[in-house]
Amino acid sequence: MSAPQILGTGRCVPERVVTNDELGRTLDTSDAWIYGRTGIHSRHFCTAETGADLAETAARRAMEAAEVSPGDIGVCLTATCSPDRASPSTACTLQGRLGLPEDTVCFDLNAACAGFLYGVHTAHALLAASPRPYALVVGVEVLSRLLDRTDRNTCVLFGDGAGAAVLRRDEGRQWHTLFGTRADGHAIWVQGPGPERAAIHMDGRAVFRFAIEVVERSIRQLLDAEGCTLDQVDLVVCHQANQRIIDHAAKKLGAREGQFFKNMETYGNTSAASIPIALDELARSGALRPGMRVLCVGFGAGLTWAGMIFQW
Ligand code: UT7
């Protein structure tokens, strides 16, 4: 058995903070509605920063925390559904900016808000054939450039940011993962490059129902696979889309107070970046310590979901 060990994390968000009150000046919305329905008070939007800028800073911080140098990295994956360009990939840009060796496996993957967990799974598999022992996995989004700023149903929900992790394969560890796809092009979709204006389209209620279903079920499946109870899990880190989704799962599963981490209040929904940003906050605050059992679940457009239970 082999599992990834996360050795260091990093995060980076753009400087500009956009509050609910600010959005309420141009939209028919309010802090009371947004916070009450989602748990979000503010988010960060890029001004001059690009996704590659955010990803680079998060990656440098993760490498510093892990005490690895660019020459140690054999795999570099970026999870994103809002890349700066369709090509070259953000991972390719990172290879140059970070000075990773030319034979590093570098590519972007798109699994929407579950992207970071797909990235960890893929990087762990690729490391088995890598000449070097470490992988860099970055979740990064600049969703502000895809938002229709006149659509109150979507533009109050999302934010920009990046989170990164350095990991290696540990042959002595075990972990359990699950992945799911249910093709649905209507519940949530993002207009890509083309003649139409970029925008995120979402049937909020349909996505909410989907999220409630898969978060609870995924946690139960992971606990079964691991052979443990929720009580024996130190922290649950779900994709930070809406605090009501997380609170619902926590209540249904009988979680203890604070066991399900939440930080959407100041980030909004940063899609593929939300889980690594959360892990970095927890690690740097000292709440996440070596040996802890962590359970993560991501879900989003696709529809796509992923979960993993592992040791920090
Ligand atoms: O990361 C990808 C995964 N995405 C998600 O997980 C999102 C899942 N969905 C949700 O989080 C929730 O469905 C939302 C937060 C998006 C919406 O909450 P809701 O409780 O499902 O509200 P709703 O869409 O049913 O809308 C209720 C009312 C509507 O008005 P009427 O038709 O009842 O008169 C909306 O027009 O709220 C209205 N509304 C707003 N009002 C003020 C919708 N957006 C806003 C807004 N401000 N920003």
Side-chain angles (χ1 to χ4, degrees):
M1 193 57 158
S2 151
Q5 182 185 6
I6 295 183
L7 300 168
T9 57
R11 68 180 188 276
C12 178
V13 290
E15 268 179 42
R16 176 147 161 62
V17 174
V18 178
T19 63
N20 292 345
D21 287 335
E22 180 178 341
L23 293 176
R25 279 182 224 131
T26 51
L27 273 175
D28 181 15
T29 189
S30 64
D31 181 54
W33 192 95
I34 302 168
Y35 188 71
R37 297 283 174 130
T38 67
I40 298 166
H41 260 317
S42 61
R43 72 290 290 142
H44 297 257
F45 280 174
C46 285
T47 47
E49 307 95 334
T50 64
D53 294 337
L54 303 180
E56 179 185 348
T57 303
R60 286 189 190 282
R61 289 174 178 160
M63 288 197 295
E64 197 185 322
E67 298 180 354
V68 304
S69 57
D72 298 323
I73 303 290
V75 175
C76 172
L77 302 186
T78 304
T80 184
C81 61
S82 55
D84 296 333
R85 296 170 297 206
S87 183
S89 67
T90 305
C92 188
T93 304
L94 284 181
Q95 182 274 330
R97 289 200 191 182
L98 298 174
L100 306 180
E102 283 194 353
D103 63 348
T104 305
V105 176
C106 294
F107 62 91
D108 286 4
L109 61 85
N110 178 351
C113 307
F116 179 75
L117 301 184
Y118 277 78
V120 169
H121 181 72
T122 308
H124 175 251
L126 289 170
L127 277 179
S130 167
R132 290 177 298 282
Y134 301 102
L136 179 60
V137 181
V138 185
V140 57
E141 303 289 3
V142 185
L143 295 164
S144 60
R145 70 172 151 234
L146 298 175
L147 293 173
D148 176 349
R149 303 290 178 98
T150 65
D151 178 11
R152 69 178 184 171
N153 291 295
T154 52
C155 85
V156 304
L157 303 174
F158 299 95
D160 301 338
V166 170
L167 55 96
R168 72 165 171 221
R169 279 175 78 93
D170 183 334
E171 304 301 330
R173 282 171 186 249
Q174 69 161 20
W175 67 330
H176 292 97
T177 57
L178 62 81
F179 298 91
T181 302
R182 183 186 303 163
D184 181 335
H186 299 288
I188 176 167
W189 59 281
V190 179
Q191 178 67 47
E196 287 175 58
R197 199 157 56 102
I200 296 176
H201 306 265
M202 186 169 73
D203 174 345
R205 284 182 199 183
V207 180
F208 195 93
R209 280 195 301 275
F210 154 71
I212 296 278
E213 174 202 329
V214 297
V215 170
E216 185 192 339
R217 196 179 64 218
S218 297
I219 292 172
R220 290 190 193 282
Q221 287 174 339
L222 289 167
L223 294 175
D224 273 359
E226 181 88 347
C228 73
T229 62
L230 185 61
D231 214 34
Q232 295 169 299
V233 173
D234 293 292
L235 276 165
V236 179
V237 180
C238 295
H239 167 48
Q240 303 286 308
N242 186 323
Q243 82 171 357
R244 287 191 294 139
I245 294 170
I246 294 176
D247 289 348
H248 181 274
K251 194 170 168 201
K252 284 287 286 278
L253 292 157
R256 59 180 180 273
E257 188 67 29
Q259 193 177 14
F260 280 58
F261 181 68
K262 291 182 282 186
N263 70 355
M264 74 287 289
E265 182 169 347
T266 54
Y267 293 99
N269 177 347
T270 57
S271 191
S274 86
I275 290 177
I277 287 175
L279 292 175
D280 186 55
E281 275 207 330
L282 287 162
R284 285 176 192 269
S285 72
L288 198 45
R289 294 181 297 282
M292 280 186 161
R293 187 185 262 150
V294 182
L295 193 158
C296 295
V297 179
F299 56 88
L303 300 164
T304 297
W305 66 98
M308 55 186 59
I309 186 164
F310 62 103
Q311 194 189 343
W312 190 257

